[in-house]
Amino acid sequence: MKTIITIGRQYGSGGRQVGQKLAKDLGIPYYDKEILKVAAQESGFCEELFENFDEKPTTSFLYSLVMDPYALGYNSNSFELPLNHKVFLAAFDAIKSIADKGPCVIVGRCADYALADYDNVINVFVSADPDYKIQRTMKLLDVDEAKAKDIIVKSDKQRASYYNYYTSKKWGELKSYDLTINTAVVGEEGAVEIIKKAIEMKEAFK
């Protein structure tokens, strides 16, 4: 197997759990917040910086820099860039470094965008119906329905803002991904099996 799987996910859809189960079934590394540790080690920035900026939107960015930061001569050590931009580019570099080591599952953090030039990637987006996400969040966090709704809306808004801000694509939009899965229809295990089948078909097709 040579495929790298990136997973974008709506809050409460179980996307993280799908990624964890997939990585375990395939016997490959799983990266979520682990990316922050790798980025900190490789960039020299403290890990707390990455946690502070992790999937959080900011207010402005040079569109040309987003489109092709390296063409402009920028990298994660460019002192001219604001700190949040340097942190993003360091995470961007870390994702590529991780992907270069072989097959893995990467959740969130614009990994699909970071690996856009890699042909051995399947980009997945995991979503779910509102009621499913609410019930799941209520159970996992032991909160009432109103609180669960609030957490879901705020979390997804934050993820969308971050993704849209740093990439040339739109979070959750079908054309941004190779595969979209509704866990309210197939469940987490079903989602894992669908992705595994997609990997098998992609590798056979190539």
Side-chain angles (χ1 to χ4, degrees), residues 104-124:
C104 59
V105 176
I106 305 176
V107 172
R109 291 159 194 90
C110 306
D112 58 314
Y113 178 70
L115 303 178
D117 294 333
Y118 289 60
D119 60 6
N120 61 327
V121 176
I122 289 182
N123 299 311
V124 180

Side-chain angles (χ1 to χ4, degrees), residues 35-50 75-79 83 86-94 97:
I35 291 170
L36 310 184
K37 189 178 294 292
V38 174
Q41 291 171 346
E42 293 187 352
S43 68
F45 293 134
C46 65
E47 195 171 337
E48 288 74 19
L49 267 180
F50 290 92
N75 56 51
S76 54
N77 297 315
S78 296
F79 290 100
L83 183 59
K86 289 195 281 186
V87 168
F88 171 77
L89 290 176
F92 194 95
D93 288 340
S97 175

